[in-house]
Each structure stands twice: as C-alpha cells, then as structure tokens.
Amino acid sequence: MESAKEKWGWLPKSKITGDAVSPKEKWLGYLVGPAGALLLNAVLGSYLNVYYTDVLNLTGVWGGSFLALFPIISKAIDAVTNLIMGQIIDRTRTKGGKARPWLLLSAPLVAVTGVLLFTVPRAGTTVQVVWVMLSYNLFYSFAFTIYSMSHGLMVPLSTRNLEQRGSLSVFNNVASVMISGIIVALVFPMVVLPALGVDQARWIAVMSVISLLALPLILVEYFFTRERISEEAANRAEQKVPVRSQLKAVLTDRNWVVIVLYFFVYTFGSNIKNISLIYYCNYVLGSYNDGVTQTMVSVIGGIPMGIGIFAVWPLAKRFGKRNTTLAGFVLYILGGIICILSPQNMAVVLVGQFIKNIGGLPCAYVFAALMADVLDHMEWKCGHRVDGFSASIQSVILTLCFGLSSGVFNLLLSASGYVAPVLAGGETIAATQNAATQNVITGCFFGVEIVTGIIVIGLLLFLNVEKIIAKEQAEIKARNKK
C-alpha cells in the first residue's frame, strides 16, 4: 500500500539544503516570498469594502443589511475552515514537511480568487450579490486560509536553533510590516486611489496585477524555506493525536494559554486602532481626505519599523525576547498617553506616535520566535507537536477580532451621532463631528491600545518559556534519537 509520503513524492524539492539557516533563506524565503500574498491581503483589508460600496454601489442592497451581514457570516465560515486546515496540516506527512506542500497549492488559488473578487459582472443585483459572496469565501475561507496557515508555521518549523529562528522571525515580519505597510498606507492613498476613482475596469486591472504577483512570490517562499523540525520526524511513525487530546494539552499549559491570550488582546487593540485611523485623521487631527495628515501619521509609524530591523533582535538576544517585549509595551503605553493628552496637536501626536511605535517593535518582530519556543515546549511536554492546532487558533483569533473590532467601532460611531459625508454638486462635503463622536474616535485610536498594552504586560509576566526551552530542546533531540 502506498504510504502518505510516497503519495506526495511529486513535490519539488526545496532549494535550501544546509542544516543552518542561510542568507538566501532569510531574504528569499522569509522576506521576498511572503511579500506578494501579504501585500494583497493588506490591500484587500483596507480597500475591498470601498470597492463594494463606492464602485459596485451595494450599500443599499437588502435595505443596507447585505454589507452588514455577509462579512460576519463569511468570517464565521472562515473561522471553521481555519480549524479544519490546522488539523489537515497536522496530519500531513511528506519529506518536505507538513506545511510547505500547502504553500505550493495555495499559490495559484490565491492569485485566481484574488482576481475573482473584483471581476464582478455588471449584471442584476442578485447576480452581483451571489458573485460577491462566492468570491469572498473562495478567497478568505479557502485560498488565503491555506496560505496563511502554512505560512504562519514556517518560522516555528524552520529550525530549533533559537538565534537563527529569531532572525527568521524578524525577516518574516519585515515583509508584513514594511512592504505592505508602506504601499497600503502611503502609496495607495496618495497615488493609486485617486487614479482609480470609481472606474471598475481600472480597479480590475490594478488588483489583477497585485493578485497575480502573489503566485510567483509564493513559489519563491516554497522553494527557499525548509521545515527542519518536521524532517526530524521523517523516519519515524507519528501517532495521529485527536483534537480533544490536543485541546486538553494546550489548555493545561500556562505558557500556551498566556501567549494565545496575549495574541488575542494585542490583535483586538490593533484592529480597533487600524479601523479608526482614517476617521481620526479626517475628523480630529486633520481635515477630510486632506492627503497630508494620514501620510504624516503613517510615516511616523513606518520609521521605527525600519529601525527595528537592526535593533530588536540584538536586544532580544541580550535581555530575552519576553523582557524586551515587556519593556517595549511600557513605551507603547507611554506614547499612547502622550497622544491622548493632546489629540488635536500634530506635533504632540507625532512625538507620541514615534515613541509608541518604537515600543511596538519587539512585539512585531519577535512574536513568531516566542510562539515557536512555546510550540517546542508543548512537544517536550506532550510528546507530540500542536503546530497546526495552534496556527488554526491564531487564524481564528485574527478572523474573529477583525469582525468584533469592526462591529464595536461601528456601534460606537452610530451611538455617538456620527454624520457621514455627502456628495453635493460633484464634491464630497464632510460634516464637523460632535464632541462625543470625536471622543469615541480618539478613544478608539489611542485609548483602547493603552488598555490592551497594560493587559499584555500583565500577561507577559506569566510567560517563562525562555528559561526552560534550551534544556527542553536538548531532551527532545535525545528523545528523537532513541
């Protein structure tokens, strides 16, 4: 009978053959490779809803309930498919690993479904609604779920070498923070969106280029990554662990529970901040779509991220990943407090934002390495890994936090008396928001992250995996040799 590994024998081999992480692996596998899919996802997260409301004019469909309900339902489906994909990854056995094969499969799926999101036919409302629902779920609940789950496990499965794994974590986050952040936060609002307008043909052309760019870059990620930890198990039979057993194992481990709660709290706060950014720049700090305010705030956010490439990991090696992250969140909170004390003063806000974003660097660049330590710890404790299960939980958190934060923010806006802009004589006329609405927007942009930062500091005090991980890794290696 053909074994599982033989069934996957057609898979192309990785270009990475060395036991140590190489510069080629860092630059191509963890920086260049992920850039395409992460850029596409970031653009969609910021502007897909604009395409639905302004270009397709779906705002009034079903009395306005369509655009309110279908994303919530779709995210619920997405959460379920994340859990399923995590179990599929945990049960995949190939010579090239258990996550990388799914990267290869996701490459054409992400590209094709990304194009389908925008090629909505100019037909009746029913046809457009069906197309939007199908294309949205094909991308998020199917294609991108496969990519994001497998991509998220590349750092934890790359190597047991703590220093090399930390370096990969930094490179992995540069792709997300720098590349997509600069294009989405600066280039799109300043250059791309004004050129696109509400011309559907232009939207389709630009978004098709971005979608198709993801295909070759995901292939680069596949060929220039390697799952050394999965390869350790290549020559021994591994038991299939039931979901109930995995759940019991993780919920009874303090380090796993702490890092997942940390991820949830931080993600929720970041989503609230991201959603409220454009409202804060339009109605509190600057004027509506002035083209300057949001750019200034985004640039100040981007500069510390560039500095972090060189500064964070040396600090993490010297003081520890947890301690560096904890100290960073102190600055994170301090910067937020400075901003909220004078939210209409551009100079004060930019200073506070700079301090806040410096504080957020350790979280951005070393979280994947901390999570990898926890997964190794779970292997030592349980005798089996819970990579797919943990990745699915992370993806569920990302999915649910996006829906939850959107709902909370929109509810607060509505309750405070927010007045939407109107189109008069071909020009957009924005209302001056009342004090309650401005306070809601300011509180969401600064206040929520101050609170979540305090909670995260409290959680990090209970994370002690770094103190024991070196000893546990040595025992795992000895166990695997036997």
Side-chain angles (χ1 to χ4, degrees):
M1 186 175 178
E2 189 179 28
S3 68
K5 292 174 185 174
E6 289 170 339
K7 291 178 182 178
W8 291 83
W10 54 271
L11 285 172
K13 294 182 179 179
S14 172
K15 302 294 184 182
I16 303 299
T17 57
D19 291 333
V21 172
S22 65
K24 185 185 297 184
E25 187 174 356
K26 294 178 184 178
W27 287 97
L28 295 179
Y30 289 85
L31 180 62
V32 175
L38 296 179
L39 171 60
L40 173 60
N41 184 54
V43 171
L44 294 177
S46 297
Y47 305 113
L48 180 59
N49 199 65
V50 174
Y51 183 73
Y52 289 155
T53 59
D54 297 359
V55 180
L56 299 182
N57 197 22
L58 298 177
T59 307
V61 174
W62 300 352
S65 62
F66 171 65
L67 287 183
L69 293 176
F70 114 84
I72 297 174
I73 297 171
S74 297
K75 288 302 179 183
I77 296 172
D78 192 9
V80 174
T81 59
N82 279 312
L83 292 171
I84 294 172
M85 191 62 209
Q87 292 306 301
I88 291 174
I89 289 175
D90 269 339
R91 285 162 171 72
T92 300
R93 301 288 183 269
T94 77
K95 291 182 179 179
K98 57 185 178 180
R100 284 182 62 253
W102 299 104
L103 279 179
L104 186 64
L105 176 64
S106 73
L109 294 176
V110 167
V112 171
T113 56
V115 173
L116 290 176
L117 283 170
F118 292 87
T119 53
V120 182
R122 283 292 186 182
T125 300
T126 301
V127 173
Q128 289 191 318
V129 164
V130 171
W131 188 287
V132 166
M133 289 191 295
L134 287 176
S135 61
Y136 189 94
N137 281 284
L138 281 173
F139 181 83
Y140 281 109
S141 301
F142 179 56
F144 198 74
T145 288
I146 296 174
Y147 172 77
S148 62
M149 293 285 292
S150 48
H151 165 74
L153 286 171
M154 285 297 95
V155 171
L157 294 174
S158 60
T159 176
R160 291 196 192 276
N161 185 296
L162 298 179
E163 182 173 344
Q164 293 176 5
R165 192 158 67 188
S167 178
L168 292 181
S169 176
V170 171
F171 273 80
N172 191 56
N173 281 282
V174 168
S176 177
V177 174
M178 292 294 292
I179 298 176
S180 62
I182 290 173
I183 295 176
V184 174
L186 302 181
V187 178
F188 248 78
M190 291 178 65
V191 180
V192 179
L193 288 180
L196 295 181
V198 292
D199 189 324
Q200 186 181 12
R202 293 181 182 180
W203 275 86
I204 292 173
V206 170
M207 294 309 302
S208 293
V209 170
I210 295 176
S211 298
L212 295 175
L213 180 63
L215 195 159
L217 291 180
I218 294 175
L219 293 180
V220 169
E221 182 176 3
Y222 171 81
F223 280 108
F224 291 94
T225 52
R226 182 181 173 190
E227 292 183 34
R228 294 171 180 84
I229 291 179
S230 298
E231 291 172 12
E232 292 176 7
N235 296 317
R236 70 176 192 272
E238 289 191 62
Q239 59 177 332
K240 293 183 179 180
V241 183
V243 176
R244 181 182 299 177
S245 299
Q246 294 184 63
L247 187 61
K248 180 180 179 181
V250 297
L251 291 181
T252 56
D253 186 84
R254 184 181 69 185
N255 286 303
W256 190 93
V257 171
V258 166
I259 202 163
V260 168
L261 287 176
Y262 157 31
F263 184 69
F264 171 78
V265 172
Y266 176 76
T267 300
F268 177 76
S270 296
N271 281 344
I272 287 282
K273 185 272 302 287
N274 292 337
I275 292 169
S276 57
L277 168 62
I278 190 168
Y279 297 88
Y280 172 72
C281 293
N282 284 343
Y283 297 115
V284 181
L285 186 61
S287 57
Y288 192 82
N289 281 348
D290 56 29
V292 176
T293 306
Q294 187 176 345
T295 301
M296 290 291 292
V297 173
S298 298
V299 167
I300 292 299
I303 291 174
M305 290 301 170
I307 298 172
I309 300 174
F310 308 100
V312 169
W313 189 242
L315 290 172
K317 285 197 296 182
R318 180 170 182 179
F319 300 106
K321 296 186 284 291
R322 186 206 70 164
N323 292 339
T324 303
T325 303
L326 197 152
F329 271 105
V330 173
L331 289 177
Y332 190 80
I333 295 167
L334 175 63
I337 292 174
I338 291 173
C339 291
I340 207 168
L341 289 176
S342 187
Q344 296 179 325
N345 186 312
M346 175 69 83
V348 172
V349 168
L350 293 181
V351 170
Q353 280 290 97
F354 188 83
I355 294 172
K356 179 172 173 288
N357 288 313
I358 287 288
L361 288 172
C363 176
Y365 286 120
V366 305
F367 176 81
L370 263 178
M371 187 67 186
D373 290 349
V374 172
L375 293 178
D376 280 0
H377 164 70
M378 293 303 302
E379 181 183 4
W380 170 84
K381 178 180 177 180
C382 308
H384 59 79
R385 295 189 66 85
V386 290
D387 303 301
F389 181 85
S390 299
S392 65
I393 294 298
Q394 284 183 264
S395 293
V396 167
I397 288 173
L398 286 170
T399 300
L400 296 181
C401 277
F402 182 81
L404 180 62
S405 57
S406 299
V408 169
F409 180 72
N410 289 330
L411 179 64
L412 291 173
L413 273 188
S414 177
S416 66
Y418 173 76
V419 180
V422 296
L423 192 65
E427 294 185 3
T428 299
I429 308 299
T432 299
Q433 304 299 333
N434 62 50
T437 299
Q438 291 190 31
N439 288 337
V440 162
I441 293 170
T442 302
C444 287
F445 191 65
F446 296 123
V448 172
E449 286 198 315
I450 293 173
V451 175
T452 57
I454 294 171
I455 296 172
V456 166
I457 287 177
L459 289 170
L460 285 171
L461 294 175
F462 294 93
L463 188 69
N464 66 347
V465 68
E466 284 182 280
K467 296 180 180 179
I468 54 178
I469 191 61
K471 177 184 176 183
E472 291 179 348
Q473 284 188 338
E475 293 182 15
I476 292 171
K477 290 180 180 180
R479 185 193 305 164
N480 288 344
K481 287 181 181 179
K482 292 181 181 180

